[in-house]
Amino acid sequence: MPQTASEPAVEDRFARLREIVAQVSDLRRTAEILSWDQETYMPPGGAEARAKQISTIRRLAHERFTTDELGTLLDDLSDPASEMDPQSVEASMVRVLRRDYDKATRLPNELVGRMAEAVSRGKQAWKKAREMNRFETFAPHLERIVDLNVEKAEAYGYDDRIYDALLDDYEPGMKTSLVEKIFSDLRKELVPIVEAIADAEPVNESPVHQHFDKELQWQFGLDVARDFGYDLDRGRQDLSAHPFTTTFAISDVRVTTRVSEHFLNPALFGTLHEAGHALYEQGVDPSLARTLLDEGTSLGMHESQSRLWENLVGRSRPFWERYYTHLRDLFPEQLGSVTQDAFYGAVNKVQPGLIRVEADEVTYNLHIMLRFEIENALLEGRVATADLPDLWNEKMDDYLGVVPDTDANGVLQDIHWSLGAIGYFPTYALGNLMSTQIFEAAGRDLGDMDALIRDGRFGELLDWLRKHIHRHGRKMKALDLLERATGSGLSAKSWLAYVREKYGRIYPELARRA
């Protein structure tokens, strides 16, 4: 139908769409700034006021995004967008925001506000409970957060499992049944690998369990992150109880880490892990700024980037061929008599442990399976919040053969539930699988990846990732982006091959049983 004189031009409608979405983006990023400060510098006494501030900002952002005007604009621009290049900013905005809008309008504004307030209070309660080793301090807050997530899932609606509705927030299009199948298939291959390593001669990890100056640890990790390409003119690193990355803009992406004086791994690999997330966010095409497309397309894809830089690069032999001498110079008393091979073995030691963020590559996915099962049980009412410490300990014993000595090392170790992020954990395992597929694809284009890492030519890898993954932001769903970048769909095949090859060299018993 021809456009009438009284109707605004398509260009004007797109301009108005951008204006509204930019305001929503600004409000959401403002809430992120408040949350970042809450985790890093806010005095404890500010918790109650901050909870109300964040609740107000998030509610306003939700209200602005769910207006009838925005829905009408998306309806009116549907046909013009369908005639554009699907990868154009305009067409992508209409397609992605239509989906976001349909979900968001199912959530009452007051539910969004209640969730934001519960999360802000929950985070502070979690911190206190973890410090005191008292799950009871956090339990009522967690119960409230679970109830609100059930309410949220019911508002979204779902056909099969209640978990589907929440999982879709973090991994669009993914289903609980598919995750269960992937985990089941992975477990069949993974358990024999873990058993073979358990029967092998153990690796000595004492080199990384010594006293290491905190400042020197901090600087070494940050220097490596800078070498990877993390732009400190557009980012910074701070301390927090649980490492995280937060984005205020493509030009302001911040990371945190935590430092242990007597264990080298948490600070170093925490920094490299978060730097991988930050590199993704800093690599989004600037044309997507303030469009709500200017972030990673899913948490699984995001995790693929952090695990790629942390593990496939940072725990690789060529990486330590490049950096070990420098690290030993920083810590001559601790590492002066430790060979490079011994240190490489120490940072890659496989041993079931209590802490997910400190878990080795081989057993890490077992931590995720445990949490995935508990979340489903919580949402489906098969377990009470008060029973979580015992259930957690039972599953740790079943999956990993270790039992937490404290709640702080058990059910309280992760921040995610206090953030309201139920449905998040499976993305960690999905990201692991994606990481090796993406790394292999980069190797096919770039050549000898060992030589590239050994020579410190990280810019070549980063450029490849920015071209094939980062710059697209949320234009494509993760599985579509993965297939476009690698030529294949999601599979555990490459990850399992990588684990067998790498750890077969460290643990010959695994190679013998292959």
Side-chain angles (χ1 to χ4, degrees):
M1 180 181 294
Q3 182 175 296
T4 65
S6 60
E7 293 177 334
V10 169
E11 293 80 3
D12 293 336
R13 294 177 186 176
F14 271 116
R16 180 58 178 160
L17 177 66
R18 280 181 172 270
E19 181 182 1
I20 294 173
V21 168
Q23 293 170 359
V24 174
S25 176
D26 290 346
L27 286 167
R28 290 181 181 177
R29 299 302 197 191
T30 298
E32 290 299 322
I33 294 171
L34 292 173
S35 296
W36 170 84
D37 176 71
Q38 184 180 47
E39 295 299 318
T40 53
Y41 294 111
M42 186 192 78
E48 185 67 21
R50 183 57 49 87
K52 296 183 182 302
Q53 293 161 0
I54 292 174
S55 175
T56 296
I57 294 296
R58 292 204 183 280
R59 178 176 52 78
L60 290 172
H62 182 73
E63 290 174 356
R64 193 72 185 102
F65 186 69
T66 55
T67 59
D68 291 342
E69 181 185 9
L70 182 60
T72 299
L73 282 169
L74 291 170
D75 288 340
D76 292 345
L77 291 171
S78 177
D79 286 342
S82 68
E83 299 175 1
M84 298 177 176
D85 176 358
Q87 293 305 307
S88 68
V89 175
E90 291 79 10
S92 297
M93 285 182 68
V94 172
R95 180 178 63 254
V96 176
L97 297 181
R98 175 82 265 174
R99 178 182 177 280
D100 291 352
Y101 181 84
D102 288 345
K103 290 191 70 174
T105 51
R106 296 172 191 167
L107 296 183
N109 292 333
E110 54 84 25
L111 173 58
V112 174
R114 284 189 285 128
M115 177 67 83
E117 189 165 349
V119 163
S120 189
R121 288 175 173 158
K123 282 191 293 186
Q124 296 305 308
W126 169 78
K127 283 184 181 180
K128 183 181 295 185
R130 194 165 181 266
E131 291 169 359
M132 298 171 59
N133 186 38
R134 284 183 55 83
F135 178 73
E136 295 84 357
T137 299
F138 179 53
H141 296 272
L142 177 57
E143 186 170 359
R144 173 69 170 159
I145 286 169
V146 170
D147 288 344
L148 288 170
N149 268 281
V150 169
E151 192 175 341
K152 178 180 176 182
E154 296 292 351
Y156 278 155
Y158 53 91
D159 295 326
D160 185 15
R161 304 276 291 278
I162 188 171
Y163 198 83
D164 290 343
L166 303 179
L167 176 61
D168 188 73
D169 274 349
Y170 306 107
E171 201 64 38
M174 187 63 68
K175 297 297 183 182
T176 306
S177 58
L178 179 57
V179 175
E180 287 178 335
K181 183 181 186 307
I182 291 172
F183 283 1
S184 177
D185 293 344
L186 185 58
R187 188 183 297 113
K188 291 176 185 177
E189 301 284 340
L190 184 55
V191 169
I193 292 173
V194 174
E195 289 175 346
I197 293 175
D199 292 338
E201 182 178 349
V203 166
N204 178 17
E205 64 175 339
S206 62
V208 296
H209 287 281
Q210 303 184 67
H211 179 269
F212 294 94
D213 179 81
K214 286 186 175 182
E215 292 299 323
L216 292 178
Q217 287 190 64
W218 176 279
Q219 194 56 52
F220 179 77
L222 201 53
D223 286 345
V224 174
R226 185 187 292 109
D227 290 347
F228 284 174
Y230 180 42
D231 184 355
L232 291 175
D233 286 337
R234 299 187 294 146
R236 60 176 288 127
Q237 179 171 264
D238 292 279
L239 285 170
S240 66
H242 189 105
F244 67 93
T245 300
T246 189
T247 301
F248 306 149
I250 297 171
S251 57
D252 189 353
V253 184
R254 306 185 188 190
V255 302
T256 71
T257 195
R258 60 182 179 184
V259 185
S260 169
E261 279 189 302
H262 301 287
F263 187 19
L264 187 64
N265 288 13
L268 172 58
F269 293 110
T271 292
L272 302 191
H273 182 97
E274 299 306 328
H277 285 303
L279 289 171
Y280 191 176
E281 297 284 319
Q282 288 186 338
V284 172
D285 190 327
S287 69
L288 300 180
R290 300 174 77 216
T291 64
L292 301 183
L293 304 180
D294 54 342
E295 58 187 37
T297 188
S298 80
L299 293 189
M301 183 58 72
H302 234 304
E303 191 67 10
S304 78
Q305 300 306 287
S306 60
R307 300 296 276 185
L308 185 153
W309 288 102
E310 176 194 358
N311 291 332
L312 306 187
V313 177
R315 293 184 195 265
S316 71
R317 185 174 290 277
F319 175 88
W320 288 110
E321 288 172 356
R322 178 170 185 81
Y323 283 99
Y324 185 59
T325 298
H326 176 45
L327 184 68
R328 187 163 53 187
D329 288 344
L330 289 176
F331 301 106
E333 181 179 342
Q334 294 87 345
L335 302 176
S337 61
V338 179
T339 66
Q340 184 184 109
D341 281 348
F343 184 82
Y344 173 72
V347 297
N348 285 289
K349 180 180 175 66
V350 175
Q351 181 176 355
L354 299 175
I355 309 301
R356 176 187 62 84
V357 296
E358 297 172 5
D360 58 80
E361 291 181 275
V362 180
T363 62
Y364 183 85
N365 287 328
L366 297 174
H367 288 267
I368 303 308
M369 295 174 190
L370 177 155
R371 288 155 173 78
F372 171 67
E373 292 178 5
I374 289 177
E375 288 187 342
N376 271 282
L378 278 170
L379 291 174
E380 294 173 1
R382 292 183 281 111
V383 62
T385 304
D387 296 331
L388 283 187
D390 289 339
L391 178 62
W392 184 284
N393 292 353
E394 289 172 10
K395 286 187 174 292
M396 284 293 292
D397 193 17
D398 290 343
Y399 273 72
L400 294 155
V402 295
V403 178
D405 53 341
T406 64
D407 287 345
N409 286 332
V411 69
L412 286 171
Q413 67 179 266
D414 292 304
I415 195 174
H416 302 67
W417 290 341
S418 77
L419 299 176
I422 295 177
Y424 187 125
F425 277 117
T427 65
Y428 286 125
L430 300 178
N432 273 336
L433 306 186
M434 292 180 193
S435 69
T436 52
Q437 291 182 259
I438 291 168
F439 194 73
E440 284 183 359
R444 290 194 292 270
D445 290 345
L446 299 176
D448 187 345
M449 296 295 280
D450 284 355
L452 183 148
I453 294 169
R454 190 180 299 111
D455 295 342
R457 291 160 29 219
F458 303 118
E460 295 179 38
L461 175 57
L462 181 58
D463 287 345
W464 189 95
L465 292 170
R466 289 198 162 155
K467 176 181 178 181
H468 294 277
I469 305 292
H470 300 174
R471 67 185 176 94
H472 299 291
R474 296 180 66 215
K475 284 184 177 181
M476 288 178 275
K477 290 183 179 179
L479 294 184
D480 294 333
L481 185 60
L482 179 71
E483 186 158 2
R484 176 169 169 164
T486 69
S488 61
L490 180 62
S491 168
K493 182 179 178 181
S494 66
W495 184 83
L496 287 166
Y498 159 76
V499 166
R500 288 192 180 99
E501 192 280 330
K502 174 178 178 177
Y503 288 93
R505 294 177 182 273
I506 298 173
Y507 296 94
E509 179 65 24
L510 175 59
R512 283 193 291 271
R513 295 191 190 182

